[in-house]
Amino acid sequence: GALDAIIDALLAHYELEARTMWHLIRQEEDCPPLAELVARGRALHRRWVEAAFGKGPRERTDALVAATDLFIWKLLRVDLGRSSAAVKATMRRLVEGVLAEDKA
């Protein structure tokens, strides 16, 4: 339920905006204004993770940030050519792995 809705929302955003975001990330070292924009995007993603999954220890938040990162989407969707459904399934497994540690 809730986890599917969270991941669906993120992936819908990535399907619309990720290629542009990836283009900006590739140029951030050469253009200071873009570097600032990308840094704000990274901070926003971290705040989104904390809002979506709850604030926890830094290592947990780091793992969730990584599991839901644009780079994961790009690797799966663009580089490996996976379907949206396959990307969702893989990202869900990654997130569930992190969340399972909360119960252990």
Side-chain angles (χ1 to χ4, degrees):
L3 182 55
D4 282 327
I6 290 167
I7 293 173
D8 285 342
L10 177 67
L11 294 180
H13 172 67
Y14 283 165
E15 288 292 329
L16 289 174
E17 304 293 340
R19 292 174 200 276
T20 299
M21 294 171 2
W22 180 249
H23 181 70
L24 296 173
I25 289 168
R26 287 191 338 231
Q27 297 180 53
E28 72 178 305
E29 289 184 20
D30 299 327
C31 182
L34 287 182
E36 183 179 321
L37 179 66
V38 170
R40 286 197 318 254
R42 288 185 180 113
L44 177 65
H45 182 68
R46 187 174 195 85
R47 288 192 306 272
W48 176 86
V49 164
E50 290 173 341
F53 299 105
K55 194 164 180 160
R58 187 187 73 220
E59 293 81 9
R60 176 187 182 269
T61 301
D62 288 350
L64 289 167
V65 166
T68 59
D69 192 77
L70 171 70
F71 283 68
I72 297 296
W73 177 88
K74 183 193 173 291
L75 171 68
L76 296 168
R77 188 79 167 109
V78 178
D79 299 346
L80 299 177
R82 302 298 186 249
S83 69
S84 296
V87 173
K88 178 182 177 180
T90 301
M91 194 171 282
R92 183 183 173 95
R93 287 184 74 171
L94 294 169
V95 169
E96 285 175 335
V98 175
L99 297 177
E101 292 180 9
D102 290 346
K103 298 174 185 174

